[in-house]
Amino acid sequence: MNVYNDACDVLNPRTGLRLDEIPAHDPFIFTDKTTQTYYLYTGGSPELHGMERYGVLAYKSNNLKEWEGPFVVFEVPDDVWANPQHGAWAPEVHLYKGRYHLFVTLHNNDKALQGEGHGGFPLQWRGTVIAVADSLLGPFEMTKRDTPIVSEQLMTLDGSLYIDEEGSPWMVYCHEWVQTADGTVEAIRLKEDLSDRSSSAPIHLFNGSSAPWDNGDLLSDGATSAYVTDGCQLYRTSNNRLIMLWSTYNKGSYVQTIARSTTGTLEGPWEQLEPLVHDDSGHGMLFQTFEGEWRLILHSPFSMPQSRSKLYEMTDTGESFIVKTTASRYMETF
């Protein structure tokens, strides 16, 4: 049963939905030029969507204005390390070697890790898995079922695919502030078929505290301070500059920010640029329209069920990406 509106009832997909009618967290858009269709992915839950277990939902559109859905493309199975009742975060889908690969963060709150989490939060299994399908609407099947891609002893999240200059695949991900207090962005080389991590050790890219404007405030009551790292995704500008979107908090509010590799390589070093969007907004990603124009999609506010996707027109300056048109003005053009 859907507890807040009919727009997200997985038993009854609808047409003609606007983005402000679709509850969404950590939105990701895949542009399918072959069919001239945009696919929007977000997490799905029993409480909000009438699902029996957590998973991933998709909506589709040919104009970014009207959407059809939701469609269930992945559900956490019973015979894996994750608990199907404990969450599915930050889905994203990439076309790699002719198949579609879903990256999504799963959880098992019953599998405790040693030690005490920052701010008294529990330490437990949390990490990104990869699932594969032949269709953008799934069903996606996990490639590795016994543990997350990154070591289960590390609380990690928001894994994203990156292909380096030699064509080798990596997963860029965040190491959870709950375990580290100062969250990090790291990367690990994947096997060529994306079935698992390689034998190489992870590399450290930067800490959440690297953002000079971030004061470390997390909780609204001020009781806990931490440096959050969320939603890391990488892109190339027209001048081949390597850019990373990521999110954190500033003065207790979620922020969409951006970093740039000074060497143009994954290893960095990384310099922190001015945030793109404030106002409790973040975990965004960039995509190009059918016409080749850049857009940013993110969610705001942070908390569900109020959270909605917002679109921004972006400009590729060659050195970075900047916001061209605010979400409210851009949506008015529809």
Side-chain angles (χ1 to χ4, degrees):
M1 178 180 178
N2 173 11
V3 297
Y4 55 97
N5 71 47
D6 292 336
C8 59
D9 185 351
V10 297
L11 299 178
N12 297 288
R14 291 171 49 190
T15 59
L17 295 171
R18 302 188 310 271
L19 282 179
D20 61 9
E21 295 179 299
I22 301 173
H25 215 255
D26 308 340
F28 185 93
I29 286 184
F30 184 100
T31 303
D32 185 15
K33 294 183 178 180
T34 302
T35 62
Q36 294 286 287
T37 305
Y38 300 101
Y39 290 84
L40 168 65
Y41 297 92
T42 186
S45 72
E47 296 87 351
L48 301 181
H49 305 101
M51 303 170 66
E52 294 184 357
R53 57 189 62 224
Y54 279 87
V56 176
L57 302 178
Y59 298 79
K60 58 183 183 177
S61 171
N62 58 19
N63 58 16
L64 297 175
K65 177 182 178 180
E66 295 178 330
W67 295 84
E68 178 184 359
F71 305 99
V72 179
V73 301
F74 171 78
E75 291 183 293
V76 181
D78 289 319
D79 57 342
V80 300
W81 66 266
N83 190 310
Q85 301 302 323
H86 291 174
W89 295 353
E92 55 182 69
V93 173
H94 301 270
L95 179 60
Y96 179 79
K97 293 192 174 182
R99 303 194 75 194
Y100 300 104
H101 291 74
L102 167 71
F103 288 61
V104 60
T105 301
L106 305 183
H107 316 260
N108 193 323
N109 304 340
D110 299 326
K111 288 182 174 288
L113 299 176
Q114 290 186 344
E116 182 177 344
H118 186 65
F121 287 87
L123 299 180
Q124 56 217 12
W125 282 35
R126 173 176 297 165
T128 298
V129 302
I130 301 174
V132 183
D134 293 317
S135 165
L136 284 162
L137 291 179
F140 287 88
E141 299 290 336
M142 288 171 57
T143 59
K144 180 176 173 61
R145 306 174 75 85
D146 55 340
T147 64
I149 297 298
V150 180
S151 169
E152 67 275 9
Q153 297 304 308
L154 305 178
M155 287 187 71
T156 61
L157 69 165
D158 297 353
S160 183
L161 179 65
Y162 173 70
I163 308 298
D164 68 16
E165 297 79 8
E166 286 73 43
S168 298
W170 294 75
M171 186 173 78
V172 182
Y173 61 92
C174 299
H175 192 171
E176 181 71 274
W177 66 269
V178 172
Q179 193 170 36
T180 65
D182 190 355
T184 64
V185 178
E186 302 173 3
I188 192 165
R189 193 183 294 271
L190 299 175
K191 291 184 176 179
E192 199 63 28
D193 63 358
L194 307 190
S195 61
D196 197 359
R197 64 178 181 267
S198 74
S199 57
S200 302
I203 61 173
H204 175 270
L205 303 185
F206 60 84
N207 286 62
S209 59
S210 298
W213 42 265
D214 186 350
N215 65 7
D217 287 348
L218 174 60
L219 300 184
S220 58
D221 61 6
T224 300
S225 291
Y227 294 99
V228 174
T229 48
D230 278 351
C232 48
Q233 301 199 12
L234 286 84
Y235 306 90
R236 291 279 179 182
T237 69
S238 55
N239 285 349
N240 204 34
R241 301 300 299 269
L242 183 59
I243 298 294
M244 182 191 300
L245 294 188
W246 67 287
S247 291
T248 187
Y249 281 79
N250 185 32
K251 299 180 181 179
S253 180
Y254 210 41
V255 175
Q256 177 63 66
T257 191
I258 188 169
R260 178 172 58 203
S261 171
T262 60
T263 62
T265 65
L266 181 62
E267 290 80 3
W270 290 85
E271 58 180 340
Q272 302 300 325
L273 308 180
E274 285 299 310
L276 295 173
V277 184
H278 293 271
D279 302 324
D280 200 19
S281 303
H283 200 116
M285 61 85 62
L286 294 170
F287 68 96
Q288 288 181 282
T289 66
F290 302 135
E291 295 76 29
E293 298 175 341
W294 284 100
R295 299 288 184 267
L296 167 70
I297 187 169
L298 51 70
H299 70 256
S300 180
F302 178 83
S303 299
M304 291 289 273
Q306 295 83 12
S307 179
R308 296 293 187 272
S309 297
K310 293 186 177 180
L311 280 171
Y312 295 77
E313 288 185 311
M314 303 295 289
T315 297
D316 175 0
T317 68
E319 295 302 303
S320 185
F321 295 95
I322 59 174
V323 175
K324 178 180 179 182
T325 306
T326 63
S328 58
R329 285 191 58 200
Y330 177 57
M331 295 307 292
E332 287 171 2
T333 65
F334 286 145

